[in-house]
Amino acid sequence: MRIGVLTGGGDCPGLNAVIRAVVRKGVTAYGHEFVGFRDGWKGPLEGLTKPLGIAEVRGILPRGGTILGSSRTNPFKIEGGVEKIKANLAEQGVDALVAIGGEDTLGVATKLHDLGVNVVGVPKTIDNDLNGTDYTFGFDTAVNIAMEAIDRLHTTAESHHRTLVVEVMGRHAGWIALHAGLAGGANVILLPERQFDVEQVATYVTKRFQVEYAPIVVVAEGAQPLDGQMVLHNQELDSFGHVRLGGIGQWLAEQLEEKTGKEARTVVLGHIQRGGTPTAFDRVLSTRFGLQAIDAVHEGDFGKMVALKGTDVVRIPLIEGTGELKTVPLERYEEAEVFFGN
Ligand code: F6P
């Protein structure tokens, strides 16, 4: 078989580890051939390819980013996009595709499978918001990066008796904020799933100063205050219709400074959370996902997404992973709330 591989959406640590596992097992165990498609769905859409074999995947296990490049191209937003993809796959002699991506990339994979393209999906996103899998790879790395930042911010916040607001990624799901905040001992954690009362946050912050510690407030980029509109940096939309966020941390720090009378600063972690080498957990998860994905392709088990269930890597229908976002349940937030303001 000749198999195409692509990585789409925001990059994340572990993408290369998946590509390596797919190719290594595909070549050595099954004798398949591979072709890399560049920059997500743009690759098959425009016929942009890259050689992909054992030599190309040597040494990439610990490397962040993706050797194939990525983009947020949506072929369903482009006139004749599906036909172009089908024609390019035929021209390249590609029998099946492994698509590695988040809700958007795998959403496209789901639709293409319904239209007759042989595809297997691998879930990635630092946001951990894909349904059907207990974890996506990239999340553990992002949480560790954010946790380390919070650890460092504690000491400087305390030296200067300041509030430090840490804005982390997470548009619609607050998994990074929740886990990094819990692991880093944040004073308050604010998520997109639950609007927050800025007066209540100010009370928590004041309480923390009263016990002689400086508060760290972790806020997901998609969190919103009770009575305000979502704070947007600009209104630009990507081709999947997502707004580009940023700004809630700055807004919150200004509010807290005014309401508590204590200096407040903001740190926006941004793309640092997505860059660099994956943790051991993410390397192992990515590798196991890649191995399961190539098995699925080899067996002709298309329209599936690989997923982690407990400690097992299994296959589920693509639609189960992409139909709905996995957000933070209320009870998980309530666990964290015990520590707020203390
Ligand atoms: O989906 C992954 C993610 O990192 C989100 O957490 C974040 O909101 C978004 O991508 C940022 O996208 P971009 O890199 O296009 O600015």
Side-chain angles (χ1 to χ4, degrees):
M1 242 194 261
R2 188 163 152 84
I3 301 160
V5 182
L6 65 87
T7 53
D11 70 340
C12 87
L15 286 167
N16 286 324
V18 178
I19 299 168
R20 168 182 174 268
V22 166
V23 173
R24 286 278 287 271
K25 186 164 188 186
V27 172
T28 57
Y30 300 131
H32 294 313
E33 260 181 48
F34 289 88
V35 58
F37 282 105
R38 296 170 61 171
D39 301 339
W41 290 112
K42 193 169 186 236
L45 190 69
E46 298 179 13
L48 307 172
T49 62
K50 191 175 164 147
L52 190 61
I54 299 276
E56 284 75 21
V57 300
R58 285 243 182 268
I60 67 171
L61 172 66
R63 203 183 312 159
T66 161
I67 58 165
L68 297 176
S70 193
S71 76
R72 295 192 188 274
T73 304
N74 183 352
F76 286 92
K77 284 277 160 68
I78 291 160
E79 185 80 27
V82 175
E83 291 66 35
K84 282 185 194 152
I85 286 183
K86 285 186 168 177
N88 284 327
L89 293 180
E91 195 184 310
Q92 287 291 328
V94 168
D95 307 296
L97 271 180
V98 174
I100 312 166
E103 49 155 335
D104 298 327
T105 305
L106 296 186
V108 169
T110 310
K111 290 195 213 161
L112 285 177
H113 174 255
D114 292 342
L115 296 169
V117 177
N118 292 334
V119 55
V120 167
V122 179
K124 72 85 228 182
T125 167
I126 63 163
D127 298 339
N128 197 39
D129 58 0
L130 275 180
N131 247 318
T133 183
D134 291 351
Y135 287 101
T136 51
F137 66 85
F139 172 65
D140 185 65
T141 306
V143 168
N144 274 285
I145 293 168
M147 179 195 73
E148 200 192 314
I150 294 168
D151 286 350
R152 289 175 185 279
L153 293 171
H154 272 295
T155 60
T156 173
E158 263 143 41
S159 307
H160 291 269
H161 318 289
R162 282 173 179 151
T163 303
L164 270 168
V165 176
V166 187
E167 184 183 305
V168 297
M169 280 185 166
R171 277 191 282 233
H172 309 292
W175 291 108
I176 297 177
L178 181 74
H179 280 228
L182 266 179
N187 191 233
V188 188
I189 302 170
L190 305 171
L191 312 180
E193 287 85 345
R194 198 169 167 185
Q195 288 194 320
F196 64 87
D197 177 359
V198 70
E199 299 296 341
Q200 177 66 62
V201 179
T203 307
Y204 288 141
V205 162
T206 302
K207 225 175 134 195
R208 179 77 172 178
F209 277 120
Q210 283 162 356
V211 291
E212 307 270 307
Y213 281 106
I216 304 286
V217 178
V218 176
V219 58
E221 61 184 335
Q224 300 175 55
L226 268 187
D227 49 357
Q229 240 206 328
M230 194 188 288
V231 182
L232 299 175
H233 204 47
N234 59 44
Q235 298 269 355
E236 213 180 305
L237 299 183
D238 67 20
S239 82
F240 286 93
H242 302 303
V243 284
R244 198 167 286 173
L245 298 181
I248 189 70
Q250 185 56 38
W251 177 85
L252 186 59
E254 284 163 16
Q255 294 287 315
L256 291 176
E257 190 164 297
E258 200 185 294
K259 290 180 196 303
T260 65
K262 294 277 192 183
E263 219 183 347
R265 298 287 170 90
T266 314
V267 176
V268 180
L269 293 183
H271 293 84
I272 287 174
Q273 294 158 97
R274 288 203 332 226
T277 190
T279 57
F281 180 90
D282 279 336
R283 292 183 200 190
V284 172
L285 184 60
S286 305
T287 299
R288 295 183 70 208
F289 275 177
L291 296 175
Q292 182 68 233
I294 192 62
D295 286 350
V297 171
H298 183 70
E299 290 164 25
D301 192 11
F302 300 117
K304 295 288 168 61
M305 179 186 103
V306 301
L308 182 71
K309 298 274 189 194
T311 54
D312 294 332
V313 174
V314 299
R315 298 173 203 165
I316 61 170
L318 264 171
I319 189 72
E320 272 182 36
T322 57
E324 214 181 299
L325 274 190
K326 181 180 71 185
T327 51
V328 175
L330 186 59
E331 56 279 15
R332 287 296 312 275
Y333 190 65
E334 284 170 351
E335 284 173 2
E337 254 178 335
V338 169
F339 300 97
F340 293 3
N342 297 316

